[in-house]
């Protein structure tokens, strides 16, 4: 019965059965006009159960997918919070997947979301990912797509970011302004763009202030953990006892730096001034209170969802959409760890 | 064409069109045998597009819904993390919704998940909820369902919990053991079961140690925030300067207690010993390090998903399933804030 109807639709409209089938599955290579004609006729012939037909007509699942490196990260919890709330307000459900910083898992998750026919995808890349095939696949299939925070510069999609270079520069300039002369940097892994950019900001600030760059003062995290911050500080103190400032890729690792210094009677900020990045909640609770670069996580979630919504609406109405990049402002929050 | 087929199936099997329709929609009041017969015949008649038919045959969407009070809470981030990972391993996607502690929102979210035909629902109740209509609806519809952490004792569904009374008792007994004589309790709101039980544990420990209970020493949080911990401590010091121990409903509020004491030269633990609840990550980083009741959040996520999976599998195979309650162990983690 199914095939008879497909054939009937094809014959009536003078198109191939393949085209009818593709139109019903909403393939991008069938014109909007043909799709509508096929859907209308299929409806008249009661070809499909209503729910399926409605789905085809509106082409919406009212569900979006969100892939992030890890839920437990304070910054991402904040972003998720904002995205779920915005989605809720606009009648969307959010499927959340975490890549655990693995490109293999991320690839699988993109496939799952595409098969689930989500209306759009929001994504912050794993440390292993860049402009890889699975990202290209989303873009090639014209699925509404916004990358945020950890993005690929090469991807031609919408992005919501901060200017990590500028923010890193400002953090290190602040250390220099309070008198630091030998500044170490505990950086993130080598691949992620935000880690690269914060490092470049560090280098540029040294350069601008005529402080020679010394690669021995740069320590590279693998997991960006509390423990790495703790261990690298022990190493810094041992290898470079005259270091008087440390700029750390995240507040989590920076809290490890503070913990090591507290336990080893190294005075912050008198002996070593410390500045982190992301301004998570606990930075104002630990002792000494941690100076940090405020990353607007809530704003980033709101902006990311709304940019995706714009593209999903354009997609639904078959209107053109040009990807945009939104750059959010960051601020240095000065607390005890850099107040000399 | 649709109705003709329905009629054909009904006539062939000697049942009503309503029963055919119900069977295809997987209504619980049609027997498994009838459902299978209807589905088989519908298949032979090519009644439904394949994807829909597959869905009916397997009756699975391979998606579950998770409703929690708030994503940003460290405890829930940990639980989500475990649930997503377990779901992933078992081929399930997770739609996450946050009730923001509102029963109205929670009600709407349950409806959304039911309409989305998720295979199961995991839920931790908002502060406003108990055994309300939306919870009853999930159970009446026989949707696989597990409540965790913030549960309703009245609901006849599977649950994963800790023994909050016992844990609260142990925390206060620990304060008494180190010499506290006048112990205040900063408790959670009046409705949630875990808040009630921790408070009962506090009372029972006093009683067991012949310390008279004084309701003036109990301070009730509305939001269970850092700020409330901070403000209540100011109030405690003013109203009861001889208080020498405080048991606080969560580490977040306890970090407010520590912050107030640090800023006002009140020595922890010499003047006031402090113990929190949940053992979130930052308790080992703040100064003084915070003693806490360790709540096994990761374990809770793993146990909740696997209990749900068991019920979903039983549901799929139309086997009986009896709801179970899993009680996880808690431990007191002793740190500087109670080491005299």
């Amino acid at each position: 019965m199914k095939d008879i109807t497909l054939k009937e639709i094809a014959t009536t409209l003078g198109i191939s059965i393949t085209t009818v089938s593709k139109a019903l599955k909403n393939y991008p290579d069938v014109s909007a006009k043909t799709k509508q004609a096929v859907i209308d006729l299929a409806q008249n012939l009661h070809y499909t159960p209503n729910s399926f037909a409605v789905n085809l007509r509106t082409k919406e699942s009212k569900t979006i997918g969100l892939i992030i490196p890890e839920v437990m990260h304070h910054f991402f919890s904040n972003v998720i919070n904002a995205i779920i709330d915005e989605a809720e307000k606009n009648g969307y459900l959010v499927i959340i997947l975490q890549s655990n910083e693995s490109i293999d898992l991320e690839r699988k998750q993109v496939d799952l979301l595409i098969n689930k026919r989500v209306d759009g995808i929001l994504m912050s890349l794993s440390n292993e990912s860049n402009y890889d095939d699975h990202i290209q696949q989303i873009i090639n299939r014209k699925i509404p797509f916004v990358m945020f925070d950890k993005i690929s510069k090469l991807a031609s999609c919408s992005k919501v970011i901060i200017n990590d270079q500028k923010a890193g520069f400002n953090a290190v300039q602040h250390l220099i302004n309070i008198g630091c002369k030998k500044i170490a940097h505990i950086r993130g892994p080598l691949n992620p763009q935000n880690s690269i950019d914060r490092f470049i900001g560090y280098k540029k600030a040294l350069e601008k202030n005529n402080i020679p760059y010394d690669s021995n003062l740069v320590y590279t995290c693998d997991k960006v953990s509390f423990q790495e911050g703790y261990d690298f500080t022990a190493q810094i103190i041992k290898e470079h006892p005259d270091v008087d400032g440390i700029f750390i890729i995240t507040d989590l690792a920076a809290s490890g730096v503070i913990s090591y210094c507290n336990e080893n009677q190294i005075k912050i900020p008198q002996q070593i001034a410390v500045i982190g990045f992301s301004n998570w909640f606990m930075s104002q609770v630990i002792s000494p209170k941690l100076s940090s670069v405020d990353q607007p996580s809530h704003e980033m979630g709101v902006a990311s969802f709304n940019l995706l919504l714009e593209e999903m609406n354009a997609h639904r109405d078959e209107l053109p959409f040009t990807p945009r990049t939104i750059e959010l402002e960051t601020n240095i929050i000065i607390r005890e760890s850099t107040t000399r």
Side-chain angles (χ1 to χ4, degrees), chain A residues 22-23 36 39 54 59-60 62 76 115 127 132 149 171 184 204 207 213-214 225 231 238 307 320 332:
Chain A
K22 280 184 168 181
Q36 201 53 55
I39 290 166
V54 165
K59 287 177 269 162
E60 289 179 299
K62 284 287 178 186
F76 287 118
N115 288 336
N127 284 340
D132 296 293
D149 192 49
K204 283 191 174 168
E207 195 182 334
Y213 167 69
D214 176 357
S225 65
D231 294 341
K238 198 178 152 199
L307 195 47
I332 304 276

Side-chain angles (χ1 to χ4, degrees), chain A residues 41-296:
Chain A
L41 191 51
Q43 281 293 97
N44 288 338
L45 295 171
H46 299 289
Y47 171 63
T48 47
N50 273 334
S51 68
F52 185 56
V54 165
N55 223 15
L56 279 173
R57 252 207 318 276
T58 68
K59 287 177 269 162
E60 289 179 299
S61 68
K62 284 287 178 186
T63 307
I64 64 164
L66 168 62
I67 303 177
I68 46 165
E70 46 169 346
V71 171
M72 274 179 61
H73 192 293
H74 176 80
F75 170 74
F76 287 118
S77 301
N78 252 325
V79 175
I80 294 175
N81 183 60
I83 289 173
I84 292 181
D85 281 353
E86 285 301 300
E88 166 89 44
K89 279 186 218 158
N90 290 280
Y92 282 85
L93 293 174
V94 187
I95 291 174
I96 303 179
L97 293 160
Q98 61 182 348
S99 65
N100 292 331
E101 304 287 7
S102 149
I103 189 173
D104 291 337
L105 206 48
E106 199 179 81
R107 216 172 241 137
K108 199 179 137 200
Q109 292 168 341
V110 166
D111 282 345
L112 279 171
L113 291 177
I114 291 176
N115 288 336
K116 199 79 192 172
R117 294 179 183 275
V118 293
D119 293 334
I121 297 175
L122 291 170
M123 194 163 171
S124 190
L125 292 180
S126 85
N127 284 340
E128 296 178 354
S129 315
N130 209 304
Y131 187 47
D132 296 293
D133 52 339
H134 61 305
I135 305 299
Q136 293 167 33
Q137 192 196 3
I138 301 174
I139 295 169
N140 292 341
R141 281 175 179 245
K142 298 189 172 35
I143 296 167
F145 181 43
V146 177
M147 280 185 165
F148 63 91
D149 192 49
K150 291 170 73 184
I151 59 134
S152 158
K153 289 204 170 160
L154 294 170
S156 57
C157 63
S158 287
K159 292 160 200 166
V160 180
I161 51 168
I162 57 165
N163 188 329
D164 282 287
Q165 266 189 44
K166 192 171 140 195
F169 179 95
N170 290 342
V172 177
Q173 184 63 54
H174 168 60
L175 291 178
I176 295 169
N177 291 347
I178 62 164
C180 296
K181 306 244 177 290
K182 190 162 181 178
I183 301 169
H185 177 34
I186 298 180
R187 62 164 290 172
L190 299 176
N191 184 44
Q193 193 64 51
N194 64 356
S195 158
I196 295 169
D197 283 337
R198 291 173 200 178
F199 166 68
I200 293 175
Y202 161 77
K203 272 181 82 168
K204 283 191 174 168
L206 297 182
E207 195 182 334
K208 203 196 159 199
N209 292 273
N210 302 314
I211 299 175
Y213 167 69
D214 176 357
S215 64
N216 293 316
L217 292 173
V218 178
Y219 295 78
T220 305
C221 289
D222 178 25
K223 293 178 175 174
V224 193
S225 65
F226 174 85
Q227 197 56 45
E228 283 176 313
Y230 188 95
D231 294 341
F232 279 138
T233 309
Q235 210 176 321
I236 290 169
I237 302 293
K238 198 178 152 199
E239 295 173 354
H240 308 281
D242 52 341
V243 157
D244 56 6
I246 309 179
F247 164 47
I248 305 113
I249 178 93
T250 67
D251 283 3
L252 174 60
S255 66
V257 173
I258 288 184
S259 185
Y260 181 87
C261 290
N262 283 348
E263 288 176 15
N264 292 276
Q265 289 75 49
I266 294 160
K267 286 200 169 158
I268 298 174
Q270 295 83 348
Q271 183 176 339
I272 298 182
V274 176
I275 186 161
F277 205 110
S278 65
N279 192 32
W280 67 339
F281 168 74
M282 288 306 297
S283 300
Q284 53 191 299
V285 180
I286 53 179
S287 180
K289 291 177 182 158
L290 177 66
S291 298
S292 188
V293 176
D294 184 47
Q295 213 176 352

Side-chain angles (χ1 to χ4, degrees), chain A residues 288-308:
Chain A
K289 291 177 182 158
L290 177 66
S291 298
S292 188
V293 176
D294 184 47
Q295 213 176 352
S297 49
H298 181 83
E299 223 180 320
M300 191 171 270
V302 172
S304 300
F305 179 81
N306 284 298
L307 195 47
L308 186 70

